């Protein structure tokens, strides 16, 4: 474990587990509000199988520093670059959940794919979440603003408690739910606000066709946060992407369907 310092002085906490000699690294990027801890049930078993597994806390999340600004996708993509360059990672499989899928896309279009072997996008926010004239199936931006003003900025802990059940499934224990919500409560409210604005306004439609690295897009058909339609549209725009559909799986499928996901991720990373 340690810290990487970005060019604007922010310290990013990271953890680096396992790895046989010459093992290709897997870099995990967590979703909005969650931290590197979220990937523990991937990193621990995969590192036991010889993979080098790395994850970090986004700025303003977990143990990483806050910053006055820098929560847009350009800056967050540069933070991924700072970690990749600082650790000199090569032939990397980039794995992102939810918000992190946008960060990975922006990293690739901003910094290139020279260090990247492949990408896994879980519960993707791409291509575009907001409703616009040319995206009529999106969510009304007013709904996002209502969430920010009436829930995030009024009682975020209550919102977490009310919304943890759709994130997981009926078999998920109360203790596991508490672990996930506890992670979210480690994050800066300022960071959550600014990141949510970025998530709900970013448009990746022009970037996705430029990404040629092998990409696996993973989505559950019971995902109420990022519905399956987003995953299908993302795959349609990318030249080298495939969809892996998890029937009955929610947004947090990397926890609820971890055995299948871990096996699929391992095969993809070693392929």
């Amino acid at each position: 474990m340690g810290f990487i310092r970005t060019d604007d002085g922010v310290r990013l906490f990271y953890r680096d587990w396992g790895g046989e000699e010459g093992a290709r690294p897997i870099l995990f990027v967590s979703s909005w509000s969650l931290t590197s801890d979220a990937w523990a049930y991937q990193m621990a078993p995969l590192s036991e199988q010889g993979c080098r597994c790395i994850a970090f806390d986004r700025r303003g999340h977990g143990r990483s520093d806050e910053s006055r600004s820098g929560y847009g996708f350009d800056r967050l993509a540069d933070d991924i670059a700072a970690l990749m360059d600082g650790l000199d990672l090569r032939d990397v499989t980039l794995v992102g959940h939810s918000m992190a899928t946008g960060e990975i896309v922006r990293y690739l279009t901003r910094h290139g794919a020279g260090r990247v072997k492949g990408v896994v996008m879980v519960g993707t926010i791409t291509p575009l979440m907001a409703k616009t004239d040319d995206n009529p199936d999106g969510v009304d931006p007013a709904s996002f603003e209502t969430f920010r003003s009436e829930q995030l900025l009024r009682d975020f802990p209550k919102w977490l408690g009310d919304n943890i059940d759709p994130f997981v499934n009926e078999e998920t224990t109360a203790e596991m739910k508490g672990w996930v919500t506890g992670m979210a409560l480690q994050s800066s409210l300022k960071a959550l606000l600014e990141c949510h604005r970025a998530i709900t306004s970013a448009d990746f439609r022009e970037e996705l066709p430029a990404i040629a690295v092998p990409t696996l897009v993973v989505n559950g058909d019971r995902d109420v946060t990022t519905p399956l339609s987003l995953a299908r549209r993302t795959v349609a725009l990318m030249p080298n992407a495939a969809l892996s559909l998890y029937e009955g799986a929610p947004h947090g499928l990397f926890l609820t369907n971890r055995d299948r996901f871990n096996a699929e991720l391992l095969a993809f990373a070693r392929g």
Side-chain angles (χ1 to χ4, degrees):
M1 297 185 292
F3 289 88
I4 291 286
R5 190 175 292 274
T6 66
D7 58 10
D8 65 341
V10 171
R11 296 180 313 142
L12 300 174
F13 171 84
Y14 74 93
R15 51 186 60 199
D16 189 346
W17 291 358
E20 297 173 345
E21 185 72 25
R24 290 171 171 166
I26 304 173
L27 176 59
F28 295 89
V29 191
S30 58
S31 69
W32 177 82
S33 82
L34 298 188
T35 71
S36 56
D37 292 349
W39 297 109
Y41 293 98
Q42 282 69 53
M43 292 179 65
L46 294 183
S47 64
E48 288 288 307
Q49 295 184 68
C51 297
R52 182 183 178 188
C53 296
I54 303 146
F56 72 101
D57 294 351
R58 180 185 294 105
R59 63 173 61 206
H61 290 60
R63 285 142 291 195
S64 291
D65 291 345
E66 292 187 56
S67 56
R68 290 181 178 273
S69 59
Y71 298 105
F73 281 103
D74 284 356
R75 176 66 256 182
L76 296 175
D78 293 349
D79 288 352
I80 294 177
L83 188 73
M84 298 267 275
D85 295 347
L87 298 180
D88 194 24
L89 303 180
R90 301 178 186 275
D91 291 325
V92 179
T93 298
L94 277 171
V95 183
H97 177 233
S98 200
M99 178 183 183
T101 62
E103 291 165 90
I104 288 171
V105 168
R106 186 61 52 82
Y107 167 82
L108 290 168
T109 56
R110 193 168 167 85
H111 295 275
R115 292 182 178 271
V116 179
K117 173 182 176 289
V119 171
V120 179
M121 301 167 69
V122 185
T124 187
I125 65 165
T126 60
L128 170 64
M129 296 190 72
K131 182 177 182 178
T132 62
D133 290 343
D134 59 353
N135 189 46
D137 296 328
V139 177
D140 185 344
S143 298
F144 295 133
E145 184 54 43
T146 297
F147 162 73
R148 290 190 287 265
S149 62
E150 299 301 320
Q151 294 175 301
L152 179 61
L153 293 180
R154 288 186 183 272
D155 196 338
F156 181 52
K158 183 179 188 304
W159 181 85
L160 287 171
D162 291 343
N163 288 274
I164 186 61
D165 284 346
F167 184 83
V168 287
N169 61 20
E170 295 80 4
E171 291 77 36
T172 305
T173 64
E175 292 81 3
M176 179 65 79
K177 294 175 187 177
W179 178 69
V180 173
T181 57
M183 257 187 282
L185 292 172
Q186 296 176 38
S187 298
S188 156
L189 194 60
K190 168 69 171 174
L192 295 180
L193 177 63
E194 297 299 335
C195 284
H196 192 266
R197 286 178 174 143
I199 293 168
T200 56
S201 62
D203 186 346
F204 297 97
R205 289 177 292 181
E206 293 186 2
E207 294 173 72
L208 292 171
I211 297 173
V213 297
T215 301
L216 183 66
V217 179
V218 180
N219 222 95
D221 64 1
R222 201 173 64 79
D223 189 330
V224 297
T225 303
T226 54
L228 182 59
S229 58
L230 288 175
R232 294 192 189 281
R233 290 170 56 208
T234 294
V235 169
L237 287 169
M238 300 181 77
N240 197 11
L243 174 65
S244 180
L245 171 62
Y246 283 47
E247 293 185 359
H251 196 51
L253 65 81
F254 61 96
L255 296 174
T256 60
N257 299 69
R258 72 184 70 161
D259 291 341
R260 174 184 168 183
F261 177 67
N262 289 358
E264 194 166 27
L265 173 56
L266 181 62
F268 182 83
R270 286 181 170 173

